[in-house]
Amino acid sequence: MNIEQTSDLERRAAVHAALGDAMRLRIIDTLRLGDASPSELSAALGAPSNLLAFHLRALEAAGLITRHRSEGDGRRTYLRLVADALDDLGPRPLLPPERVVFVCTANSARSHLAAAIWREASPIPGLSAGTRPAPHIDPGAVDAAARHGLDLPEVRPQHVDGVIGDGDLVVTVCDLAHEELGPTPRLHWSIPDPVRAGSAAAFDHAYAELTARVRDLAGRYMTAS
């Protein structure tokens, strides 16, 4: 982790810590709607002035609020929520990999569905592979893709050795494949095997879980506009 990343983590930690109090959250919620003087906040929130001052100092130290003098009564100050102060509390965008390769054991259902969903969600190329490829894609996966309007090419399952290359992000979507691949850098999503259950509901559940995870991951990568 470089210095810039460490600094960003420390800043986010400080903001989260400052927000870890119900009164401070009430102050933030109030200032989202408009500026207010300390006395106005005290009255609106029913907070004693000394307690309010303590919380305001914590929010100012975290860079969440600012104060400025009134242009009317110069003895009065107004508090304002810093623009975009709450917009960057999650992790920073990641540099994109060359490709994303989704892996399960048979490469017959989960990994194929994940790769197809990825191709609709991201411009980064998405592929799939298996540690023990089956002869063909499971019909349940084909039917699930059709139910959800997903373009799922009916290609022959591939072995990981012929697919994964340098610069690829590997995402295992099957516990067995994750354990078989050993301690190599990758992401793991523990998705129940719909083929084992064999029902349309199981395939729809796998599709829904993969869709949510794919969209979340795709949104974390910086891509050219």
Side-chain angles (χ1 to χ4, degrees):
M1 184 175 294
N2 61 35
I3 294 175
E4 185 179 358
Q5 289 174 315
T6 301
S7 176
D8 181 66
L9 284 173
E10 291 173 347
R11 180 192 61 78
R12 286 164 45 207
V15 172
H16 281 290
L19 294 174
D21 182 277
M23 177 58 70
R24 293 174 197 169
L25 287 174
R26 292 177 65 196
I27 293 170
I28 292 296
D29 287 345
T30 302
L31 295 180
R32 278 179 183 269
L33 302 176
D35 302 346
S37 69
S39 60
E40 289 169 339
L41 275 178
S42 180
L45 302 178
S49 59
N50 60 339
L51 178 61
L52 181 68
F54 169 77
H55 289 305
L56 291 177
R57 284 195 297 271
L59 293 172
E60 284 184 283
L64 291 169
I65 64 173
T66 60
R67 65 176 76 212
H68 61 275
R69 289 283 176 191
S70 166
E71 291 186 350
D73 183 346
R75 296 167 299 177
R76 193 181 183 96
T77 61
Y78 286 102
L79 300 157
R80 174 179 299 171
L81 183 66
V82 174
D84 304 326
L86 303 176
D87 292 349
D88 192 26
L89 296 183
R92 300 179 63 177
L94 303 171
L95 293 175
E98 294 292 328
R99 306 180 304 177
V100 178
V101 181
F102 296 92
V103 176
C104 65
T105 306
N107 190 212
S108 64
R110 287 166 289 182
S111 55
H112 266 295
L113 288 170
I117 296 166
W118 178 269
R119 288 191 290 270
E120 291 191 348
S122 174
I124 301 170
L127 299 86
S128 68
T131 54
R132 306 179 199 173
H136 52 75
I137 297 178
D138 192 274
V142 176
D143 292 343
R147 283 194 299 275
H148 295 282
L150 178 68
D151 182 14
L152 184 71
E154 293 191 50
V155 296
R156 185 179 181 85
Q158 301 292 311
H159 193 276
V160 291
D161 289 347
V163 176
I164 298 175
D166 293 338
D168 289 342
L169 171 69
V170 176
V171 182
T172 51
V173 293
C174 153
D175 294 339
L176 182 57
H178 176 61
E179 292 154 14
E180 286 181 334
L181 286 178
T184 57
R186 62 177 170 277
L187 299 180
H188 176 54
W189 300 343
S190 184
I191 310 293
D193 185 4
V195 176
R196 181 177 298 178
S199 66
F203 278 96
D204 287 342
H205 178 78
Y207 172 85
E209 190 165 354
L210 288 167
T211 297
R213 293 207 181 214
V214 161
R215 288 176 178 170
D216 178 69
L217 180 61
R220 295 179 185 274
Y221 286 106
M222 296 184 294
T223 55
S225 58

